[in-house]
Amino acid sequence: MDYHGIFKAAIDRLHDEGRYRVFIDILRTKGSYPNARCFHGHNGPKPITVWCSNDYLGMGQHPAVVAAMEGALHDVGAGSGGTRNIGGNTHYHVDLEAELADLHGKQAALLFTSGYVSNEAALSTLGKLLPGCIIFSDELNHASMIAGIRSSGCEKRVFRHNDLEHLEQLLMEAPAETPKLIAFESVYSMDGDVAPIAAICDLADKYGALTYLDEVHAVGMYGARGGGISEQDEVADRVTIIEGTLGKAFGVMGGYIAADKTIIDCIRSYAPGFIFTTSLSPVLVAGALASVRHLKQSGEERAAQQLGAAALKAKFRDAGLPVMDSVTHIVPLQVGCPVKAKRISDILLAEYGLYVQPINFPTVPRGTERLRFTPGPTHSEAMMDELTKALVEIWDRLELELRKAA
Ligand code: PMP
């Protein structure tokens, strides 16, 4: 058997389709978000501006976060020393879970090593604990939810993205007495649109379903205390389980769910992805705790970020660049071809020192490849003008179509 040949062919397929992933080698520079140094190629390091970070608010470099991490490292050292069950349940973990439960107005919360693991562990376990459960899943749900649903062994019914009629039709078709769970996201990170959470909860009530809401791209970003879209829409109490990450707006690392005590106790007690792994380093947990606390009482970063995102969308639109209809902090530009998306990204980095990663299948459907910009609170007006000008020049050079100004 030519094992090597099989693996090589798999990689060649990605090259042929123009979606072989190249990781850009960078070092972010503390205190100068969104500036970084790039080691890509052999002439580095070279200063660049990062336009695609999911550290949406720059909290990964916030002085309060950095100080909390330094303090924890100094006080307790590097690692947690075990699983939560065997020595790895530090006081930092306990504190952060209480803080997260409070953030979402839930009785309890549970930490995981990432948002991915939260979704995989929670959904697979919920599904296994509910015999015969049918899981209704938005068609654009993240890979981690899809993985959790798959390993739950439950029947899955996929509803068209944010389509309430389709969801209701599928709920109606399912037997009344069957357990049901609706899994969806609040902010869809590649399009920047938002789920109708209240209306989905109405359907859940009507058909006796539980709701599982991924707020990974919304926690820290929306709501008066950063509790996400469910806080902003005042529906957090109607959602059964809220899931979030500590790695994006909170700027650190880790994932969590928040729900009532019994559900959290079940996941804590049954989910292998929670039980059989070393808990997060207390250093990370201390940083996340500082970040969550900061964003609970400060709306300054959120407000600046929203202004920046609106300004960048307007600049792209005025320049005729094909900015997609996003109602959130995410600014996607449609390209529609993996090779072109990569080429634009390569030129931006090599010639302008501007870094945005191309987004290809399977992250987005084929034919909708895009560049996804995430302006932070400290991307200046001048940086946005520089980016817009660079993109227009590249669009011209590659003979891509610019929209006519409205
Ligand atoms: N859910 C969604 C919607 C995501 O986009 C991501 C990460 N891109 C995750 C979950 C996983 O979160 P984490 O990066 O913390 O693993």
Side-chain angles (χ1 to χ4, degrees):
M1 175 74 71
D2 177 15
Y3 292 113
H4 179 79
I6 293 170
F7 295 135
K8 171 94 176 41
I11 293 296
D12 288 348
R13 277 199 301 280
L14 295 177
H15 281 294
D16 290 348
E17 290 179 28
R19 58 188 187 92
Y20 177 74
R21 289 174 202 255
V22 179
F23 301 155
I24 306 300
D25 179 356
I26 66 170
L27 270 184
R28 306 199 311 153
T29 311
K30 193 176 79 179
S32 71
Y33 180 91
N35 296 318
R37 282 170 294 153
C38 180
F39 295 81
H40 201 62
H42 298 287
N43 311 321
K46 148 181 158 180
I48 56 163
T49 307
V50 179
W51 278 102
C52 56
S53 175
N54 279 338
D55 181 0
Y56 295 127
L57 302 177
M59 290 304 290
Q61 303 188 348
H62 191 281
V65 175
V66 174
M69 295 180 77
E70 283 171 351
L73 183 64
H74 179 266
D75 291 347
V76 301
S80 74
T83 63
R84 288 293 290 276
N85 188 38
I86 308 180
N89 184 44
T90 77
H91 194 60
Y92 293 99
H93 292 79
V94 175
D95 261 3
L96 180 55
E97 285 177 345
E99 197 71 49
L100 292 167
D102 172 75
L103 177 65
H104 295 293
K106 298 287 181 199
Q107 290 174 348
L110 194 67
L111 285 171
F112 298 83
T113 46
S114 73
Y116 188 103
V117 175
S118 326
N119 276 336
E120 205 282 331
L123 282 166
S124 65
T125 303
L126 286 166
K128 282 183 190 136
L129 290 173
L130 292 167
C133 180
I134 301 176
I135 301 184
F136 298 83
S137 174
D138 188 287
E139 70 178 331
L140 292 191
N141 273 346
H142 188 256
S144 53
M145 286 202 269
I146 296 169
I149 294 168
R150 187 171 300 136
S151 73
S152 75
C154 291
E155 190 181 321
K156 173 169 89 165
R157 307 229 170 126
V158 176
F159 58 96
R160 286 190 293 272
H161 177 54
N162 279 348
D163 186 335
L164 293 167
E165 269 177 39
H166 192 214
L167 173 59
E168 177 153 25
Q169 186 192 325
L170 295 179
L171 284 163
M172 225 166 3
E173 284 166 12
E177 63 288 355
T178 304
K180 302 175 188 72
L181 187 147
I182 305 171
F184 62 114
E185 300 180 22
S186 59
V187 172
Y188 285 86
S189 69
M190 293 300 149
D191 295 70
D193 59 342
V194 172
I197 304 177
I200 290 179
C201 291
D202 289 342
L203 289 178
D205 290 347
K206 186 167 167 189
Y207 293 94
L210 301 179
T211 45
Y212 183 99
L213 177 62
D214 174 319
E215 288 248 50
V216 158
H217 293 276
V219 289
M221 301 296 291
Y222 297 91
R225 302 193 312 155
I229 301 287
S230 57
E231 183 192 10
Q232 181 178 276
D233 291 359
E234 297 178 2
V235 290
D237 58 332
R238 300 191 61 198
V239 177
T240 320
I241 297 134
I242 295 175
E243 183 266 346
T245 184
L246 303 165
K248 301 192 194 286
F250 293 126
V252 188
M253 188 187 178
Y256 67 91
I257 54 168
D260 78 31
K261 269 189 185 145
T262 312
I263 290 179
I264 294 296
D265 206 13
C266 273
I267 310 284
R268 187 187 74 87
S269 307
Y270 284 98
F274 173 80
I275 298 171
F276 299 107
T277 188
T278 302
S279 66
L280 280 171
S281 157
V283 178
L284 296 172
V285 179
L289 192 55
S291 187
V292 172
R293 283 185 177 149
H294 178 86
L295 290 177
K296 258 185 183 171
Q297 47 80 31
S298 167
E300 203 181 300
E301 294 82 2
R302 282 190 279 284
Q305 196 286 331
Q306 286 292 331
L307 282 177
L312 188 63
K313 283 179 204 168
K315 284 182 196 296
F316 281 180
R317 216 171 281 127
D318 290 349
L321 291 162
V323 59
M324 293 167 66
D325 263 342
S326 154
V327 293
T328 61
H329 58 284
I330 291 156
V331 185
L333 270 193
Q334 182 83 272
V335 179
C337 161
V339 178
K340 286 180 185 157
K342 174 145 191 340
R343 182 103 179 89
I344 299 166
S345 160
D346 286 347
I347 298 175
L348 273 175
L349 185 65
E351 298 181 23
Y352 296 88
L354 303 172
Y355 172 39
V356 65
Q357 195 70 24
I359 310 281
N360 293 331
F361 176 82
T363 309
V364 294
R366 288 182 207 275
T368 72
E369 291 80 4
R370 66 199 68 175
L371 301 171
R372 173 184 180 271
F373 299 87
T374 50
T378 53
H379 281 92
S380 65
E381 185 92 22
M383 287 174 177
M384 292 188 205
D385 287 336
E386 179 197 16
L387 172 67
T388 309
K389 184 165 171 283
L391 283 166
V392 169
E393 284 171 10
I394 298 170
W395 240 255
D396 266 356
R397 181 161 141 196
L398 301 184
E399 296 178 355
L400 299 168
E401 216 172 306
L402 285 173
R403 288 175 184 160
K404 292 212 171 50

